[in-house]
Amino acid sequence: MSLIAIVEDDASIRKLILYALKNNGYEANGYECGADFFEAISAQAPDLVLLDIMLPDMDGVEILRRLRKSSAMARVPVMMITAMGAEYDKVNALDSGADDYMTKPFGVMEMLSRVRALLRRAAPAEAESQGEILSASGVQMDLKRRQVVADGEEVTLAYKEFELLHYFLQNKGIVLSREQLMQTVWGFDYEGESRTVDMHIKTLRQKLGKCGELIHTVRGVGYKLEDRESSL
């Protein structure tokens, strides 16, 4: 049973989310503030976090950044659920490592659909459980451990960044459109903008350092990953 953490200071919204999740077979815990949340996850890491931005003790985006710096929580999917619906707020959260963003007011059925999608994509696939290794020039991905090494240094990637790199490594030398990337990594039911792909690839390149140069932009189409020898 998946464990979901909800960080929401509005008691009525928090209770609504908890009720909906538990009625759909999930284990769920709610927290009013960041301090209570961090105390709880120090004992047990959740499988998914639903996170508000405006909280009484600390900003939700700051909580998100702290999660992405934690080895135990770096790859746990996080969905922001907030009344802040401006483009800047969405871009800021996604750039900080959020995997999804839903604005209030929201429909319970939509929330549950997004929760299922995030948990489905976070679950290791059958092939990953066999310890398969994928690689390109200077980059090595251990699917079983969900570990990435670039030029000899371990790189901590958020869930979507890991899935993007996984898809690129599976399709080395093949041009992948933004639509393909969105459908594969975010899912067919995702209704966000294709700009989301660009933002995540920008962050992925930065984290890979010099190996980020392996991911090439194909103008008007999308992106492709090539070995250094192939791109000469």
Side-chain angles (χ1 to χ4, degrees):
M1 181 184 297
S2 297
L3 173 61
I4 302 174
I6 302 96
V7 191
E8 167 62 66
D9 64 324
D10 187 313
S12 61
I13 295 177
R14 188 171 66 250
K15 289 177 182 178
L16 172 66
I17 296 174
L18 284 168
Y19 179 80
L21 291 172
K22 290 179 180 180
N23 268 14
N24 280 270
Y26 299 108
E27 184 179 354
N29 296 319
Y31 308 97
E32 184 179 3
C33 62
D36 292 345
F37 168 66
F38 280 114
E39 181 180 357
I41 66 172
S42 66
Q44 182 180 12
D47 300 298
L48 172 67
V49 177
L50 307 183
L51 178 61
D52 190 12
I53 291 181
M54 299 179 68
L55 295 167
D57 58 344
M58 62 183 77
D59 183 88
V61 175
E62 179 57 32
I63 293 176
L64 174 62
R65 289 173 180 153
R66 286 177 59 178
L67 292 176
R68 293 313 182 216
K69 291 178 182 178
S70 164
S71 58
M73 294 291 297
R75 297 187 182 94
V76 173
V78 176
M79 178 166 67
M80 313 303 289
I81 300 182
T82 173
M84 301 173 67
E87 182 181 17
Y88 169 80
D89 298 314
K90 295 179 181 179
V91 170
N92 188 37
L94 291 169
D95 278 349
S96 298
D99 298 284
D100 201 355
Y101 194 106
M102 188 166 65
T103 55
K104 302 172 185 174
F106 58 87
V108 172
M109 296 304 295
E110 178 188 359
M111 180 205 69
L112 290 171
S113 177
R114 289 173 180 260
V115 163
R116 286 192 294 268
L118 286 171
L119 289 172
R120 185 170 62 247
R121 293 170 210 140
E126 182 72 21
E128 294 178 356
S129 66
Q130 303 303 315
E132 185 181 355
I133 303 294
L134 298 177
S135 63
S137 302
V139 176
Q140 187 174 72
M141 173 178 280
D142 186 323
L143 294 170
K144 183 177 181 180
R145 296 184 175 88
R146 292 190 70 84
Q147 181 184 62
V148 174
V149 174
D151 281 339
E153 298 290 332
E154 185 171 354
V155 179
T156 299
L157 299 180
Y159 176 74
K160 286 294 190 296
E161 295 162 356
F162 186 94
E163 294 302 309
L164 274 172
L165 182 59
H166 183 193
Y167 193 46
F168 278 128
L169 289 170
Q170 287 180 311
N171 296 276
K172 282 192 294 184
I174 299 173
V175 178
L176 303 171
S177 69
R178 288 175 176 82
E179 290 72 24
Q180 285 176 287
L181 293 168
M182 289 201 70
Q183 289 175 357
T184 301
V185 178
W186 278 265
F188 288 92
D189 55 353
Y190 184 74
E191 296 179 354
E193 301 175 356
S194 61
R195 185 178 174 190
T196 299
V197 174
D198 300 328
M199 292 186 296
H200 278 75
I201 287 178
K202 177 182 177 181
T203 305
L204 175 59
R205 282 170 166 163
Q206 291 172 344
K207 290 186 176 182
L208 292 176
K210 290 184 179 179
C211 291
E213 298 173 359
L214 300 177
I215 302 174
H216 300 270
T217 301
V218 181
R219 290 187 180 277
V221 183
Y223 300 90
K224 68 175 176 178
L225 183 145
E226 286 188 318
D227 283 307
R228 288 194 176 101
E229 294 80 4
S230 301
S231 59
L232 293 178

